[in-house]
């Protein structure tokens, strides 16, 4: 570790991993409700569990991004973080907000209260006061990191990371706009949900991957930067108008059918480019970095993101196809592999790289870490296939033959059992990952390999 303030990231990554575990365990709970529908129906209804699962996901991913930024910005800017105190205060606000949201959801407190009660929009259910807290935390973060970068060395990696993080915060402001017209509500809702994962988060992904490639493969910075600019341009060119693939059936004008189909099909390009980038860098790289686990996660991230977001996204993005598959298990299959491949793996990659450095035991427990990669990646891939089969049967029975929703669900039971099984593998993998990072090293560093 070159700068003392990089250690802030340790606290962020720790909180993120705790929420990650809660997220996947909650996935198991709601996965079991699909198998046995009355499970916990009085104590923790499905809708509440689902909310905890998806919200924990988004919150821990963002916490991880903040941690990644606190780790890599000092190194890139070649100076300490502007204010260490502010960074910890920001984390405290985020933890309080998260606890507030969890307690409000779980006990369904303050129902209907505009300030204190949950808002009932998927992914944006947080009570208004929590949303305000998120904005305050985001402003503190942006101020802190931007000041650091402005006073220090400016690199393409930090510029694009900051652009992504500013975009993340500014787009979140649309979460406050909740028009009563349902079509308008949905139109702006996607500004957050879609423009995040298929827009500004891609910039965050590209810059963190670029940083990892720079460190792990020893390729020249100029080469990394050229790729970075191409990826970012492709992501924004396709992703912004690609929002149209959510505007097919919500009452927006018909031209979205074409705009959405064409531009969202192009969204496969940046994901393909990121995969090509990662592999070309490893191929061209001169450095044999000892942290193989971080490299595995980086390559796994680029590959699974290409399949989950790119291929599984394209699968149902043309309006003629989406007409049949909209809101079926096909969507869930895609949602899982895309989020896991792109943003879960990205976080786990930078954690695998940064945590050993921050804890001064560089690198360690790699075999366990890599085993956890295969468990999680295998589990998520199996889950994706199961849900894709379920979604295909569902689409045919429900949308082509016109069978009733609940009758079709009964036919899908066996797929839900398999989804639960793959979910168990994912949860075991997550626990193993945390164990590998938290426990003392068990193995000796490969002889002769430099630690940094
Ligand atoms: C990492 C990037 C991505 C993530 C994390 C992601 C995640 C998701 C999620 C969670 C949903 C479900 C939203 C909901 O209705 O609640 C969704 C829907 C959708 N995604 Fe993605 N996605 C990504 C990239 C893409 C790409 C690149 C494409 C197209 C090539 C795509 C096409 C779609 C379509 C068409 C839907 C709507 C499905 C429906 O009509 O039910 N996605 N995505
Ligand atoms: C890191 C891994 C995981 C990620 C990134 C993830 C992500 C997501 C996302 C984005 C959704 C919303 C999907 C949509 O609207 O289409 C969702 C829902 C869900 N997830 Fe996960 N999840 C993960 C792990 C799990 C696990 C281990 C299980 C256990 C079986 C699980 C079971 C479910 C269930 C049952 C739903 C509700 C689907 C529905 O409403 O029909 N997830 N998850
Ligand atoms: Fe989208």
């Amino acid at each position: 570790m070159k700068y003392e303030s990089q250690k802030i990231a340790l606290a962020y990554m720790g909180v993120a991993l705790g929420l990650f575990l809660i997220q996947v365990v909650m996935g198991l709970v709601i996965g079991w409700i699909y198998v046995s529908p009355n499970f916990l129906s009085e104590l923790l209804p499905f809708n509440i569990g689902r909310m905890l699962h998806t919200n924990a996901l988004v919150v821990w991913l963002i916490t991880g991004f903040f941690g990644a930024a606190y780790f890599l910005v000092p190194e890139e800017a070649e100076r300490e973080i502007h204010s260490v105190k502010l960074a910890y205060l920001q984390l405290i606000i985020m933890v309080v907000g998260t606890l507030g949201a969890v307690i409000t959801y779980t006990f369904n407190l303050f129902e209907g209260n505009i300030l204190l009660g949950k808002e009932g929009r998927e992914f944006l259910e947080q009570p208004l006061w929590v949303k305000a807290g998120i904005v305050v935390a985001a402003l503190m973060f942006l101020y802190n990191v931007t000041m650091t970068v402005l006073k220090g060395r400016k690199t393409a990696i930090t510029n694009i990371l900051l652009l992504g993080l500013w975009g993340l915060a500014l787009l979140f402001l649309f979460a406050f706009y909740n028009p009563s017209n349902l079509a308008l509500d949905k139109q702006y809702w996607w500004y957050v949900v879609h423009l995040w994962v298929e827009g500004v988060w891609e910039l965050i992904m590209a810059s963190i991957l670029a940083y990892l490639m720079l460190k792990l493969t020893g390729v020249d910075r100029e080469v990394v930067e050229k790729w970075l600019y191409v990826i970012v341009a492709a992501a924004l060119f396709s992703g912004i108008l690609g929002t149209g693939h959510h505007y097919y059936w919500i009452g927006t004008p018909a031209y979205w059918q074409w705009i959405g189909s064409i531009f969202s099909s192009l969204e496969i390009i940046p994901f393909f480019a990121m995969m090509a980038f990662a592999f070309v860098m490893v191929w061209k790289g001169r450095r044999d970095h000892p942290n193989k686990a971080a490299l595995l996660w980086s390559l796994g991230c680029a590959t699974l993101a290409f399949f989950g977001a790119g291929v599984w996204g394209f699968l149902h993005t043309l309006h003629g196809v989406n007409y049949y598959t909209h809101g079926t298990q096909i969507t869930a299959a895609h949602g899982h592999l895309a989020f896991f491949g792109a943003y879960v793996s990205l976080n786990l990659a930078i954690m695998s790289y940064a945590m050993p450095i921050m804890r001064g035991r560089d690198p360690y427990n790699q075999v366990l870490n890599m085993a956890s990669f295969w468990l999680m990646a295998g589990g998520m891939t199996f889950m994706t296939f199961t849900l894709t089969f379920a979604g295909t049967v569902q689409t045919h029975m429900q949308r082509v033959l016109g069978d009733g929703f609940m009758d079709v669900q009964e036919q899908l039971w066996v797929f839900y059992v398999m989804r639960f099984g793959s979910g168990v593998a994912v949860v075991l993998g997550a626990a193993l990952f945390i164990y590998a990072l938290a426990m003392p090293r068990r193995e000796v560093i490969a002889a002769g390999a430099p630690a940094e």
Side-chain angles (χ1 to χ4, degrees):
M1 206 171 65
K2 292 195 188 108
Y3 297 90
E4 202 44 45
S5 54
Q6 284 181 285
K7 209 155 196 171
I8 300 167
L10 196 57
Y12 277 80
M13 290 176 177
V15 170
L17 283 175
L19 281 170
F20 174 38
L21 203 60
I22 295 174
Q23 180 235 326
V24 285
V25 168
M26 215 28 92
L28 270 192
V29 172
I30 56 177
W32 187 252
I33 296 177
Y34 258 96
V35 174
S36 172
N38 287 329
F39 180 62
L40 290 185
S41 60
E42 303 281 333
L43 265 180
L44 188 83
F46 176 81
N47 61 321
I48 308 281
R50 188 186 196 279
M51 204 149 66
L52 292 171
H53 179 60
T54 52
N55 280 251
L57 170 72
V58 175
V59 171
W60 88 255
L61 292 177
I62 294 177
T63 310
F65 292 156
F66 288 153
Y70 282 125
F71 182 81
L72 70 80
V73 163
E75 240 180 74
E76 288 288 298
E78 295 183 330
R79 60 181 305 118
E80 299 284 355
I81 288 290
H82 179 67
S83 164
V84 174
K85 271 201 198 121
L86 201 60
Y88 285 113
L89 183 63
Q90 182 210 336
L91 184 61
I92 293 172
I93 293 178
M94 289 177 67
V95 170
V96 170
T98 306
L99 289 177
V102 169
I103 293 170
T104 310
Y105 295 165
T106 313
F107 302 103
N108 205 3
L109 303 174
F110 313 112
E111 223 185 332
N113 185 307
I114 294 175
L115 185 65
L116 302 174
K118 65 175 170 0
E119 292 200 328
R121 300 162 98 198
E122 192 195 2
F123 291 111
L124 303 180
E125 294 98 344
Q126 311 83 19
L128 198 58
W129 73 269
V130 175
K131 286 196 174 77
I134 294 173
V135 171
V136 172
L139 286 176
M140 289 164 77
F141 170 81
L142 291 172
Y143 167 76
N144 212 354
V145 171
T146 308
M147 287 304 282
T148 312
V149 168
L150 283 181
K151 286 193 288 178
R153 179 176 68 144
K154 292 156 198 72
T155 67
I157 291 179
T158 49
N159 287 347
I160 290 170
L161 181 65
L162 273 183
L163 191 64
L165 289 163
W166 271 95
L168 185 158
L170 291 179
L171 285 168
F172 184 70
L173 296 178
F174 285 101
F176 290 90
Y177 184 48
N178 192 354
S180 55
N181 178 320
L182 203 56
L184 280 180
D185 162 11
K186 275 292 175 190
Q187 186 181 333
Y188 289 106
W189 182 81
W190 286 111
Y191 276 28
V192 185
V193 177
H194 168 101
L195 288 180
W196 265 11
V197 298
E198 290 158 72
V200 292
W201 286 29
E202 277 182 72
L203 310 193
I204 299 172
M205 176 177 169
S207 58
I208 294 180
L209 269 184
Y211 172 82
L212 283 167
M213 287 301 134
L214 200 63
K215 297 287 165 181
L216 295 173
T217 71
V219 137
D220 289 342
R221 189 178 280 276
E222 297 82 71
V223 180
V224 169
E225 288 180 348
K226 269 181 207 139
W227 277 90
L228 203 47
Y229 287 125
V230 173
I231 292 167
V232 168
L236 294 179
F237 178 75
S238 60
I240 295 173
L241 285 172
T243 320
H245 65 190
H246 302 293
Y247 291 172
Y248 298 155
W249 329 114
I250 63 168
T252 37
Y255 50 76
W256 284 112
Q257 308 270 329
W258 288 102
I259 298 177
S261 295
I262 292 168
F263 282 90
S264 71
S265 296
L266 297 176
E267 283 184 42
I268 205 165
I269 295 171
F271 285 102
F272 181 80
M274 276 191 267
M275 183 173 66
F277 164 66
F279 281 92
V280 170
M281 291 307 104
V282 172
W283 172 44
K284 293 241 165 113
R286 292 173 268 105
R287 188 178 295 166
D288 189 17
H289 197 282
N291 196 337
K292 299 282 180 273
L295 190 62
L296 180 63
W297 276 108
S298 306
L299 292 176
C301 164
T303 309
L304 290 173
F306 169 69
F307 281 99
V311 178
W312 255 258
F314 180 69
L315 197 67
H316 59 163
T317 209
L318 297 175
H319 65 270
V321 177
N322 193 267
Y323 179 72
Y324 291 99
T325 60
H326 182 57
T328 61
Q329 294 298 327
I330 300 274
T331 308
H334 156 69
H336 276 89
L337 198 62
F339 258 116
F340 178 78
Y343 304 119
V344 171
S345 304
L346 179 72
N347 264 297
L348 302 187
I350 184 79
M351 286 177 192
S352 297
Y353 176 77
M355 283 184 84
I357 296 177
M358 288 187 287
R359 306 188 67 203
R361 354 156 141 153
D362 186 46
Y364 61 113
N365 277 346
Q366 291 210 61
V367 178
L368 284 187
N369 186 324
M370 290 196 267
S372 83
F373 169 84
W374 290 110
L375 253 180
M376 274 189 262
M380 291 310 288
T381 307
F382 191 87
M383 188 186 294
T384 304
F385 280 114
T386 325
L387 292 177
T388 306
F389 286 125
T392 309
V393 172
Q394 183 187 9
T395 300
H396 186 72
M397 292 183 71
Q398 201 178 310
R399 300 281 161 76
V400 179
L401 302 179
D403 292 346
F405 178 82
M406 285 315 284
D407 299 332
V408 176
Q409 289 301 312
E410 261 172 44
Q411 304 294 316
L412 301 179
W413 188 78
V414 66
F415 295 112
Y416 296 139
V417 174
M418 289 193 280
R419 187 250 306 265
F420 182 78
S422 55
V424 171
V426 175
V427 172
L428 290 177
L432 190 61
F433 180 87
I434 294 173
Y435 177 87
L437 283 185
M439 288 299 140
R441 101 161 99 187
R442 291 277 161 81
E443 72 215 38
V444 182
I445 302 172
E452 236 295 68

